[in-house]
Amino acid sequence: MQANLLLTVRTALHRYLVHRTQVSQLLIIHSPADLEQVEEQGPPLVSDELGRLLDPSDVLHYQDCHAIVVPLRRRRVALLVERVEDIRMNKETPEEILPLPRLLAATLAHPWYLGVVVRDESPLLVLDMRQIARHLLVMHKKNA
Amino acid sequence: MQPEDQTTTYLLFRLGDEYYALASGMVAEIARWRAPTVVPGAPPAVSGIINQRGVVMPVIQVGLLLGMTVTPPDRATRYIVAHYEDIHLALLVNTVIDLIDLPEDAREPPPATLNAQQARLLQGVLRWQGRPVSLLSLAEMIATVRPNS
């Protein structure tokens, strides 16, 4: 997977990276009604807060947030974040996605990370948005 | 050299008010505390990951593994960057004190008053300046964090 197309996304508490190839749309959401409009324009849409899915204490302030739309086979999943901060397209020196430390990878509750990118000496998690979107769909079906 | 003269070099550090030591051969370096990157879904004893000289490693809250109340980091808080086989990890401790030589023949078993988890993490107890120093087992710490190992 090319690491030169990474979106930096900010939730209320954390910052993550998302691979652009796993995303079909980026939207600005002013109110829940905006999502309803998006739903009318394509395959069924399920939405939830990205931050809270990963960390229950990471609650979004639902005003002018961004939605990252992840396409699955029959549905789309919109994951809401406070902001998509930037899109890096550095073709000359792509950032390397390192695997998670083995000890950590073996203990995780969900396989939701593609790896880690070290940026300004700090590791940033690269999310596997497809895995997260699939999980959300399963949860949505269970609760339906 | 007589067997009773054998000593091992340990890194001495403090967790709360208690003294602990780790065999120096497992210690790569000591690093100042900086906020780790939180990894949602990780076990409670793993407070996140840090990048130390290009190696991304988990941060283990040793105090939490030992059943202690974790205190907020301060100026003395350090990471002990350690390795066991091919696993690198950063151990979060309150203060690093010194490298010391301790006589192996004075090693005592962990006190019977410890609970099973605490006893499992300790290789024994030695004395330094009259104080008990608990010897931590890095292998057991890793096994505790990763229950399936």
Side-chain angles (χ1 to χ4, degrees), chain B residues 59-127:
Chain B
V59 173
I60 310 297
Q61 300 198 77
V62 185
L64 207 59
L65 286 181
L66 290 162
M68 297 174 166
T69 305
V70 175
T71 53
D74 57 29
R75 288 170 62 90
T77 305
R78 293 289 182 274
Y79 291 128
I80 298 174
V81 178
H83 56 87
Y84 178 77
E85 297 175 345
D86 61 345
I87 296 173
H88 296 261
L89 61 170
L91 307 176
L92 184 65
V93 302
N94 290 119
T95 312
V96 170
I97 298 168
D98 204 352
L99 280 171
I100 53 169
D101 289 325
L102 293 174
E104 279 301 311
D105 65 334
R107 187 190 291 196
E108 299 164 14
T113 50
L114 296 180
N115 67 36
Q117 160 115 340
Q118 289 169 326
R120 186 182 165 207
L121 294 172
L122 301 187
Q123 293 177 316
V125 177
L126 286 166
R127 297 252 156 208

Side-chain angles (χ1 to χ4, degrees), chain A residues 14-16 54-55 98-104 106-110 113 116 118 121-125, chain B residues 37-43 46 48-51 54 56-58 60 86-87 89 142 145-148:
Chain A
H14 305 295
R15 183 182 284 148
Y16 300 104
L54 296 163
D55 172 0
L98 304 169
L100 279 179
R102 209 155 44 91
L103 174 62
L104 179 65
T107 63
L108 291 174
H110 299 285
Y113 308 109
V116 180
V118 176
E121 297 296 315
S122 292
L124 283 174
L125 293 164
Chain B
T37 299
V38 173
V39 182
V46 179
I49 51 177
I50 59 165
N51 165 48
V56 176
M57 60 187 75
I60 310 297
D86 61 345
I87 296 173
L89 61 170
I142 291 168
V145 173
R146 186 177 56 188
N148 296 329

Side-chain angles (χ1 to χ4, degrees), chain A:
Chain A
M1 180 176 277
Q2 285 185 316
N4 55 353
L5 288 167
L6 293 171
L7 311 176
T8 308
V9 302
R10 176 168 278 289
T11 61
L13 295 181
H14 305 295
R15 183 182 284 148
Y16 300 104
L17 299 177
V18 168
H19 208 277
R20 183 70 181 84
T21 56
Q22 293 192 326
V23 177
S24 63
Q25 271 179 297
L26 294 173
L27 306 165
I28 298 172
I29 303 296
H30 301 290
S31 73
D34 290 351
L35 278 173
E36 289 166 20
Q37 272 192 339
V38 176
E39 189 162 10
E40 290 164 8
Q41 297 162 3
L45 186 80
V46 172
S47 65
D48 208 334
E49 297 174 27
L50 177 65
R52 200 164 55 175
L53 267 173
L54 296 163
D55 172 0
S57 65
D58 191 357
V59 180
L60 178 72
H61 305 291
Y62 212 111
Q63 282 178 339
D64 291 345
C65 62
H66 290 174
I68 300 170
V69 180
V70 180
L72 295 176
R73 201 184 300 171
R74 292 192 194 89
R75 286 176 172 238
R76 295 172 296 163
V77 172
L79 292 157
L80 307 178
V81 297
E82 287 221 331
R83 198 137 313 274
V84 176
E85 287 187 338
D86 77 358
I87 304 171
R88 288 215 179 175
M89 295 181 66
N90 191 342
K91 290 180 182 171
E92 288 180 7
T93 54
E95 294 173 300
E96 186 183 2
I97 300 179
L98 304 169
L100 279 179
R102 209 155 44 91
L103 174 62
L104 179 65
T107 63
L108 291 174
H110 299 285
W112 284 350
Y113 308 109
L114 293 172
V116 180
V117 164
V118 176
R119 195 178 277 180
D120 300 328
E121 297 296 315
S122 292
L124 283 174
L125 293 164
V126 184
L127 300 179
D128 188 338
M129 296 298 273
R130 288 203 185 105
Q131 289 278 11
I132 294 168
R134 284 190 200 110
H135 174 86
L136 183 60
L137 269 188
V138 170
M139 297 302 292
H140 183 77
K141 283 176 186 168
K142 275 185 185 170
N143 295 334

